[in-house]
Amino acid sequence: MTMAKRRPLILGNWKMHGAGPDLTEIGRIDAAVHALGVEAGLMLPATLIERAARVARTLAIGGQDCHPAAGGAHTGAVSAAMLCEAGATHMLAGHSETRDDGLSVAAKARAAQAAGLAVVICIGECERSADARALVAAQLRASLPPDLDWSRAAIAYEPVWCIGGNAVPDEAHLARIFEMLRAEAGEARLLYGGAVDGGNAAALLALPEIDGLLVGRASRSVADFLPVLEAAAGS
C-alpha cells in the first residue's frame, strides 16, 4: 500500500552528547527549522530537555528513552511523564543502544503515549542478512503495544550495521523493508536512520515509502544538519 507523500519529519538524535553551551547551537538549528518551514525535532539527553524546550520556537524537543513504569523504586530512571513535564513532545523507544526486548519496548511506547508524548519506535537488524525483512517484521510486531495510537506514532528503521558508518542500504533493500513496514504499520510515519547526512538525505526522502529521517551525528551542528533540513524542505 503506497500512501500519498507526506511532509517529511526530520529528527536528530544527539545520544550522550550535549551540555549547557550547546543550547546556542540548538537555537541556531531552531532558527533554521523556522526559516525553512520544515517539521523537525531533536532527541536530547534528559539533562538538556527543559532548557532546550525554552530555547526552541519551532523545533520539537524529545527524549531518548524512558522507564515503562509511571513511578517507583527505579533509581536513575526517567519516566515518560517526567520527560513530558520537562518539555518533551516526542520520545524514542527501542533504539538499538537501549533496546532489550520487544515487550519492554512496547511497554515504553505505551507509557510514552499515556503521558502525552508522540513515540518513535526504533527497529533494525544487527547484521546484513538475506532474512532482514522477516527479522525486522518480527521485531516490529513484538514492539507494538496493542493499543498504540498510530496517529501519534512513527517507526524508525535503523539497520544497526549502518549506524555510525558512511553508507546506507541500497534502494532495493530499503524498498523491501519499507513496503513491509507500510503493510504492518498502517498510517504511522516511517523514518529511515543510519549514516544519514546532507549528501544522501534528498535521495532517501525521494523513496516513496519514507516519510522522514532519524539523523545521528549530522544533527549536532547547524552546519551539518542544515543540508538535511534543506533536503526536507525541497522534497
Side-chain angles (χ1 to χ4, degrees):
M1 176 179 63
T2 300
M3 301 177 67
K5 196 69 174 173
R6 291 186 274 193
R7 184 187 186 202
L9 171 63
I10 308 298
L11 297 177
N13 178 17
W14 277 27
K15 305 188 179 186
M16 199 172 69
H17 298 279
D22 295 297
L23 291 167
T24 300
E25 197 68 11
I26 290 170
R28 293 189 184 108
I29 292 170
D30 178 70
V33 168
H34 183 78
L36 290 167
V38 295
E39 187 174 357
L42 293 178
M43 319 304 277
L44 298 174
T47 54
L48 268 182
I49 289 172
E50 185 172 8
R51 287 174 289 171
R54 292 196 207 110
V55 167
R57 295 184 302 161
T58 305
L59 188 67
I61 301 298
Q64 298 173 359
D65 194 21
C66 77
H67 194 281
H74 307 292
T75 301
V78 176
S79 73
M82 291 172 178
L83 295 176
C84 193
E85 184 181 40
T89 57
H90 293 66
M91 195 199 81
L92 298 178
H95 189 280
S96 63
E97 293 155 359
T98 63
R99 170 180 287 275
D100 36 25
D101 59 70
L103 287 176
S104 175
V105 175
K108 291 176 181 182
R110 183 183 298 112
Q113 289 204 332
L117 299 170
V119 64
V120 182
I121 297 173
C122 302
I123 53 172
E125 75 279 16
C126 290
E127 300 176 350
R128 290 179 183 266
S129 170
D131 298 325
R133 179 174 168 135
L135 291 170
V136 173
Q139 192 180 64
L140 176 65
R141 291 167 191 151
S143 302
L144 299 177
D147 54 350
L148 184 69
D149 178 356
W150 289 107
S151 69
R152 295 187 298 124
I155 307 298
Y157 170 60
E158 282 198 304
V160 179
W161 48 274
C162 289
I163 297 174
N166 297 309
V168 302
D170 62 47
E171 186 173 334
H173 176 96
L174 291 173
R176 288 192 297 273
I177 297 293
F178 278 88
E179 285 168 2
M180 176 275 295
L181 293 178
R182 182 60 69 204
E184 294 281 344
E187 65 181 284
R189 280 172 136 166
L190 303 181
L191 314 183
Y192 171 78
V196 176
D197 58 29
N200 57 34
L204 287 165
L205 290 171
L207 298 178
E209 296 291 2
I210 293 182
D211 300 319
L213 302 170
L214 182 58
V215 186
R217 62 180 180 267
S219 69
R220 299 206 305 267
S221 73
V222 71
D224 291 333
F225 205 21
L226 184 59
V228 179
L229 299 172
E230 289 173 336
S235 67

